[in-house]
Amino acid sequence: MLLAFCYLYPVSEIIISVNNLTKQYLQTQNSGVNNISFNIKQGDIVAIIGESGSGKSTLLKTIYGLIKPDNGEVLLNGKKVKGPDEQLIPGNAEMKMVTQDFSLNIYAKVYDNIASMLSNTDIAGKQQKTMQMMEHLHITKLKDKKIIELSGGEQQRVAIAKALISNTKVLLLDEPFSQVDSLLKNQLRADIKRLAKETGLTVILVSHDPTDGLFLADQLLILKNGELLQNDRPENIYQNPSNLYTAQILGNAVSLTRQEAEQIGVKTVKNMVVFYPEWVELKSNWNSRRFEVKEVYYKGFYDELLLERNGVIIRALQLNSGTHKKNDHVQANIGRFLEF
Ligand code: ADP
Ligand code: MG
């Protein structure tokens, strides 16, 4: 069964193409998405990251066929995804979207919510598939509970199980982790990753939280004001952000103006210098490039240091917790930095 599946869908096959997609709600200002193009490989997890209002939901709904684009098209396996005006029931049978409201029958049991997606022509098969899907999402023990008796995170698992049970090829998730606490978030991320790898499911998720994309995704898209700023593997984007915004949204980057950079001995011809705390090398010897340790933040297996020199504050990491303490003087070399 699994072999047959792999045969049908070679790993590198493009499942979705988004071509020059534009949807503007207002003509006077940039609202919606503007001329966006990218491809998605079958079985990949794609994270679309951007702040509130950047066009994430608009893009997701347009991919799913809920919004008619002003321009451009979405192809699923080479076939154009129909818009809401081109079919009776908007959406797409091979894709499923899970939004923040989950759309579950809150007075029905977990089992029945999921099973209701399958027809009654094969009762035994229906039962077996439902049980399997509940196991996949680790919700078997919630089988007989009503949705109103579940936590937000549990409801979300049910919503995903329900979305996946009817031979879904593409799962679209709008802000999937915004309602769950950090422990559950990690579990859910791991589950989504496992599901995608085990079943060949393609996942597109949108989030305002860049860490979702960095830890989870095979492909990361950065959206700002409806524009696609960068599209690459997360590690490539993190190491080589193509613009200031991307560098700032992704991590804990330090941004300095040209003047500030010069005050700590970094020369640039551009306007901004950006680096990550882990690019700062610390040495405890005496020379002119000294910083004062202003604050030490304990982070578990490392410390984050606030360092100051000539009134400029930067951040650095020390892996051996406690090496440099508050009020110590250290030499900090900015081993690598980006200029914008
Ligand atoms: P995100 O999901 O990233 O928060 P949205 O796609 O929901 O962003 O919205 C993108 C932009 O389009 C925002 O400026 C929003 O105000 C605007 N917008 C979204 N939906 C509508 C709508 N139905 N009518 C008018 N403007 C809208
Ligand atoms: Mg949104």
Side-chain angles (χ1 to χ4, degrees), residues 201-228:
L201 177 74
T202 305
V203 181
I204 310 175
L205 66 93
V206 309
S207 174
H208 65 279
D209 181 356
T211 56
D212 290 335
L214 285 178
F215 298 134
L216 189 66
D218 301 296
Q219 182 182 1
L220 182 60
L221 279 74
I222 309 290
L223 223 58
K224 189 192 182 195
N225 290 336
E227 310 272 345
L228 177 58

mmCIF file of all heavy atoms in Angstrom, residues 201-228:
data_model
loop_
_atom_site.group_PDB
_atom_site.id
_atom_site.type_symbol
_atom_site.label_atom_id
_atom_site.label_comp_id
_atom_site.label_asym_id
_atom_site.label_seq_id
_atom_site.Cartn_x
_atom_site.Cartn_y
_atom_site.Cartn_z
ATOM 1 N N LEU A 201 1.474 13.219 2.914
ATOM 2 C CA LEU A 201 0.607 14.395 2.950
ATOM 3 C C LEU A 201 1.428 15.672 2.747
ATOM 4 O O LEU A 201 2.529 15.793 3.265
ATOM 5 C CB LEU A 201 -0.063 14.442 4.326
ATOM 6 C CG LEU A 201 -0.972 15.628 4.635
ATOM 7 C CD1 LEU A 201 -2.290 15.478 3.885
ATOM 8 C CD2 LEU A 201 -1.239 15.705 6.147
ATOM 9 N N THR A 202 0.886 16.593 1.979
ATOM 10 C CA THR A 202 1.511 17.904 1.819
ATOM 11 C C THR A 202 0.809 18.878 2.768
ATOM 12 O O THR A 202 -0.420 18.879 2.847
ATOM 13 C CB THR A 202 1.361 18.398 0.366
ATOM 14 O OG1 THR A 202 1.900 17.400 -0.503
ATOM 15 C CG2 THR A 202 2.075 19.715 0.145
ATOM 16 N N VAL A 203 1.574 19.654 3.497
ATOM 17 C CA VAL A 203 0.982 20.566 4.485
ATOM 18 C C VAL A 203 1.395 22.004 4.172
ATOM 19 O O VAL A 203 2.572 22.281 3.954
ATOM 20 C CB VAL A 203 1.435 20.216 5.921
ATOM 21 C CG1 VAL A 203 0.803 21.153 6.938
ATOM 22 C CG2 VAL A 203 1.124 18.762 6.257
ATOM 23 N N ILE A 204 0.420 22.892 4.128
ATOM 24 C CA ILE A 204 0.723 24.320 4.029
ATOM 25 C C ILE A 204 0.178 24.972 5.281
ATOM 26 O O ILE A 204 -1.021 24.878 5.558
ATOM 27 C CB ILE A 204 0.058 24.973 2.806
ATOM 28 C CG1 ILE A 204 0.333 24.167 1.532
ATOM 29 C CG2 ILE A 204 0.534 26.412 2.634
ATOM 30 C CD1 ILE A 204 -0.394 24.700 0.305
ATOM 31 N N LEU A 205 1.049 25.585 6.061
ATOM 32 C CA LEU A 205 0.538 26.253 7.250
ATOM 33 C C LEU A 205 0.958 27.707 7.241
ATOM 34 O O LEU A 205 2.028 28.052 6.735
ATOM 35 C CB LEU A 205 1.012 25.550 8.523
ATOM 36 C CG LEU A 205 2.474 25.545 8.895
ATOM 37 C CD1 LEU A 205 2.797 26.716 9.817
ATOM 38 C CD2 LEU A 205 2.810 24.255 9.606
ATOM 39 N N VAL A 206 0.085 28.550 7.754
ATOM 40 C CA VAL A 206 0.446 29.958 7.873
ATOM 41 C C VAL A 206 0.520 30.315 9.345
ATOM 42 O O VAL A 206 -0.230 29.780 10.162
ATOM 43 C CB VAL A 206 -0.532 30.909 7.143
ATOM 44 C CG1 VAL A 206 -0.749 30.468 5.715
ATOM 45 C CG2 VAL A 206 -1.840 31.049 7.883
ATOM 46 N N SER A 207 1.457 31.172 9.680
ATOM 47 C CA SER A 207 1.645 31.550 11.079
ATOM 48 C C SER A 207 2.311 32.912 11.165
ATOM 49 O O SER A 207 3.078 33.294 10.294
ATOM 50 C CB SER A 207 2.506 30.496 11.778
ATOM 51 O OG SER A 207 2.819 30.916 13.080
ATOM 52 N N HIS A 208 1.994 33.618 12.251
ATOM 53 C CA HIS A 208 2.709 34.874 12.481
ATOM 54 C C HIS A 208 3.967 34.603 13.282
ATOM 55 O O HIS A 208 4.784 35.484 13.491
ATOM 56 C CB HIS A 208 1.800 35.853 13.235
ATOM 57 C CG HIS A 208 1.463 35.369 14.607
ATOM 58 N ND1 HIS A 208 0.466 34.448 14.830
ATOM 59 C CD2 HIS A 208 2.019 35.610 15.798
ATOM 60 C CE1 HIS A 208 0.424 34.163 16.126
ATOM 61 N NE2 HIS A 208 1.360 34.853 16.736
ATOM 62 N N ASP A 209 4.124 33.353 13.752
ATOM 63 C CA ASP A 209 5.263 33.001 14.608
ATOM 64 C C ASP A 209 6.357 32.323 13.788
ATOM 65 O O ASP A 209 6.210 31.186 13.358
ATOM 66 C CB ASP A 209 4.773 32.061 15.717
ATOM 67 C CG ASP A 209 5.898 31.659 16.665
ATOM 68 O OD1 ASP A 209 7.058 32.056 16.412
ATOM 69 O OD2 ASP A 209 5.606 30.959 17.638
ATOM 70 N N PRO A 210 7.473 33.015 13.551
ATOM 71 C CA PRO A 210 8.512 32.475 12.685
ATOM 72 C C PRO A 210 9.108 31.165 13.176
ATOM 73 O O PRO A 210 9.583 30.366 12.385
ATOM 74 C CB PRO A 210 9.582 33.568 12.668
ATOM 75 C CG PRO A 210 9.231 34.505 13.740
ATOM 76 C CD PRO A 210 7.784 34.356 14.048
ATOM 77 N N THR A 211 9.042 30.903 14.484
ATOM 78 C CA THR A 211 9.634 29.654 14.965
ATOM 79 C C THR A 211 8.881 28.443 14.413
ATOM 80 O O THR A 211 9.461 27.374 14.257
ATOM 81 C CB THR A 211 9.660 29.600 16.503
ATOM 82 O OG1 THR A 211 8.336 29.788 16.980
ATOM 83 C CG2 THR A 211 10.566 30.662 17.066
ATOM 84 N N ASP A 212 7.598 28.613 14.113
ATOM 85 C CA ASP A 212 6.856 27.503 13.513
ATOM 86 C C ASP A 212 7.500 27.077 12.204
ATOM 87 O O ASP A 212 7.610 25.907 11.897
ATOM 88 C CB ASP A 212 5.393 27.906 13.244
ATOM 89 C CG ASP A 212 4.619 28.071 14.538
ATOM 90 O OD1 ASP A 212 5.018 27.454 15.534
ATOM 91 O OD2 ASP A 212 3.637 28.823 14.534
ATOM 92 N N GLY A 213 7.893 28.062 11.430
ATOM 93 C CA GLY A 213 8.479 27.755 10.128
ATOM 94 C C GLY A 213 9.884 27.207 10.245
ATOM 95 O O GLY A 213 10.271 26.305 9.508
ATOM 96 N N LEU A 214 10.632 27.737 11.186
ATOM 97 C CA LEU A 214 12.037 27.332 11.278
ATOM 98 C C LEU A 214 12.182 25.881 11.727
ATOM 99 O O LEU A 214 13.056 25.172 11.267
ATOM 100 C CB LEU A 214 12.788 28.249 12.235
ATOM 101 C CG LEU A 214 13.107 29.625 11.669
ATOM 102 C CD1 LEU A 214 13.797 30.472 12.707
ATOM 103 C CD2 LEU A 214 13.985 29.507 10.436
ATOM 104 N N PHE A 215 11.336 25.447 12.660
ATOM 105 C CA PHE A 215 11.526 24.111 13.213
ATOM 106 C C PHE A 215 10.779 23.039 12.441
ATOM 107 O O PHE A 215 11.060 21.870 12.584
ATOM 108 C CB PHE A 215 11.091 24.086 14.680
ATOM 109 C CG PHE A 215 11.917 25.007 15.522
ATOM 110 C CD1 PHE A 215 11.332 25.864 16.431
ATOM 111 C CD2 PHE A 215 13.298 25.029 15.365
ATOM 112 C CE1 PHE A 215 12.104 26.716 17.199
ATOM 113 C CE2 PHE A 215 14.075 25.888 16.118
ATOM 114 C CZ PHE A 215 13.483 26.740 17.046
ATOM 115 N N LEU A 216 9.832 23.441 11.660
ATOM 116 C CA LEU A 216 8.904 22.468 11.103
ATOM 117 C C LEU A 216 9.042 22.293 9.597
ATOM 118 O O LEU A 216 8.902 21.199 9.080
ATOM 119 C CB LEU A 216 7.486 22.957 11.432
ATOM 120 C CG LEU A 216 6.330 22.039 11.161
ATOM 121 C CD1 LEU A 216 6.429 20.830 12.071
ATOM 122 C CD2 LEU A 216 5.025 22.767 11.419
ATOM 123 N N ALA A 217 9.292 23.374 8.910
ATOM 124 C CA ALA A 217 9.040 23.386 7.474
ATOM 125 C C ALA A 217 10.207 22.879 6.628
ATOM 126 O O ALA A 217 11.367 22.984 7.001
ATOM 127 C CB ALA A 217 8.685 24.809 7.045
ATOM 128 N N ASP A 218 9.859 22.327 5.473
ATOM 129 C CA ASP A 218 10.852 22.025 4.447
ATOM 130 C C ASP A 218 11.065 23.260 3.586
ATOM 131 O O ASP A 218 12.116 23.448 2.994
ATOM 132 C CB ASP A 218 10.347 20.890 3.538
ATOM 133 C CG ASP A 218 10.063 19.633 4.338
ATOM 134 O OD1 ASP A 218 11.004 19.082 4.911
ATOM 135 O OD2 ASP A 218 8.885 19.220 4.397
ATOM 136 N N GLN A 219 10.023 24.067 3.488
ATOM 137 C CA GLN A 219 10.064 25.265 2.656
ATOM 138 C C GLN A 219 9.415 26.403 3.431
ATOM 139 O O GLN A 219 8.377 26.222 4.062
ATOM 140 C CB GLN A 219 9.272 24.996 1.361
ATOM 141 C CG GLN A 219 9.271 26.139 0.369
ATOM 142 C CD GLN A 219 8.409 25.811 -0.865
ATOM 143 O OE1 GLN A 219 7.812 24.744 -0.944
ATOM 144 N NE2 GLN A 219 8.332 26.718 -1.797
ATOM 145 N N LEU A 220 10.052 27.558 3.390
ATOM 146 C CA LEU A 220 9.576 28.697 4.171
ATOM 147 C C LEU A 220 9.359 29.895 3.254
ATOM 148 O O LEU A 220 10.205 30.203 2.421
ATOM 149 C CB LEU A 220 10.641 29.017 5.228
ATOM 150 C CG LEU A 220 10.387 30.139 6.217
ATOM 151 C CD1 LEU A 220 9.155 29.865 7.048
ATOM 152 C CD2 LEU A 220 11.592 30.291 7.154
ATOM 153 N N LEU A 221 8.189 30.528 3.397
ATOM 154 C CA LEU A 221 7.888 31.722 2.617
ATOM 155 C C LEU A 221 7.684 32.887 3.570
ATOM 156 O O LEU A 221 6.960 32.756 4.552
ATOM 157 C CB LEU A 221 6.607 31.531 1.803
ATOM 158 C CG LEU A 221 6.718 30.767 0.483
ATOM 159 C CD1 LEU A 221 6.886 29.295 0.720
ATOM 160 C CD2 LEU A 221 5.477 31.015 -0.353
ATOM 161 N N ILE A 222 8.316 34.002 3.259
ATOM 162 C CA ILE A 222 8.156 35.187 4.095
ATOM 163 C C ILE A 222 7.300 36.199 3.345
ATOM 164 O O ILE A 222 7.621 36.603 2.221
ATOM 165 C CB ILE A 222 9.521 35.834 4.419
ATOM 166 C CG1 ILE A 222 10.501 34.797 4.975
ATOM 167 C CG2 ILE A 222 9.336 37.012 5.379
ATOM 168 C CD1 ILE A 222 10.192 34.289 6.348
ATOM 169 N N LEU A 223 6.192 36.572 3.991
ATOM 170 C CA LEU A 223 5.231 37.487 3.376
ATOM 171 C C LEU A 223 5.242 38.815 4.115
ATOM 172 O O LEU A 223 5.276 38.846 5.345
ATOM 173 C CB LEU A 223 3.843 36.856 3.501
ATOM 174 C CG LEU A 223 2.889 36.899 2.326
ATOM 175 C CD1 LEU A 223 3.517 36.244 1.111
ATOM 176 C CD2 LEU A 223 1.601 36.170 2.674
ATOM 177 N N LYS A 224 5.204 39.904 3.358
ATOM 178 C CA LYS A 224 5.064 41.223 3.988
ATOM 179 C C LYS A 224 4.216 42.113 3.092
ATOM 180 O O LYS A 224 4.503 42.228 1.894
ATOM 181 C CB LYS A 224 6.447 41.848 4.205
ATOM 182 C CG LYS A 224 6.374 43.112 5.039
ATOM 183 C CD LYS A 224 7.663 43.892 5.007
ATOM 184 C CE LYS A 224 7.532 45.109 5.901
ATOM 185 N NZ LYS A 224 8.582 46.072 5.645
ATOM 186 N N ASN A 225 3.209 42.744 3.669
ATOM 187 C CA ASN A 225 2.305 43.614 2.895
ATOM 188 C C ASN A 225 1.854 42.976 1.588
ATOM 189 O O ASN A 225 1.806 43.627 0.556
ATOM 190 C CB ASN A 225 2.991 44.942 2.571
ATOM 191 C CG ASN A 225 3.170 45.786 3.809
ATOM 192 O OD1 ASN A 225 2.421 45.617 4.776
ATOM 193 N ND2 ASN A 225 4.149 46.665 3.782
ATOM 194 N N GLY A 226 1.550 41.701 1.630
ATOM 195 C CA GLY A 226 1.050 41.018 0.447
ATOM 196 C C GLY A 226 2.109 40.625 -0.564
ATOM 197 O O GLY A 226 1.795 40.065 -1.609
ATOM 198 N N GLU A 227 3.367 40.924 -0.259
ATOM 199 C CA GLU A 227 4.448 40.584 -1.187
ATOM 200 C C GLU A 227 5.220 39.379 -0.642
ATOM 201 O O GLU A 227 5.446 39.273 0.562
ATOM 202 C CB GLU A 227 5.444 41.755 -1.327
ATOM 203 C CG GLU A 227 4.819 43.108 -1.618
ATOM 204 C CD GLU A 227 4.631 43.350 -3.115
ATOM 205 O OE1 GLU A 227 5.231 42.600 -3.917
ATOM 206 O OE2 GLU A 227 3.879 44.278 -3.454
ATOM 207 N N LEU A 228 5.656 38.513 -1.552
ATOM 208 C CA LEU A 228 6.513 37.393 -1.162
ATOM 209 C C LEU A 228 7.957 37.869 -1.157
ATOM 210 O O LEU A 228 8.524 38.178 -2.199
ATOM 211 C CB LEU A 228 6.335 36.232 -2.150
ATOM 212 C CG LEU A 228 7.205 35.002 -1.923
ATOM 213 C CD1 LEU A 228 6.997 34.404 -0.544
ATOM 214 C CD2 LEU A 228 6.922 33.937 -2.989
#
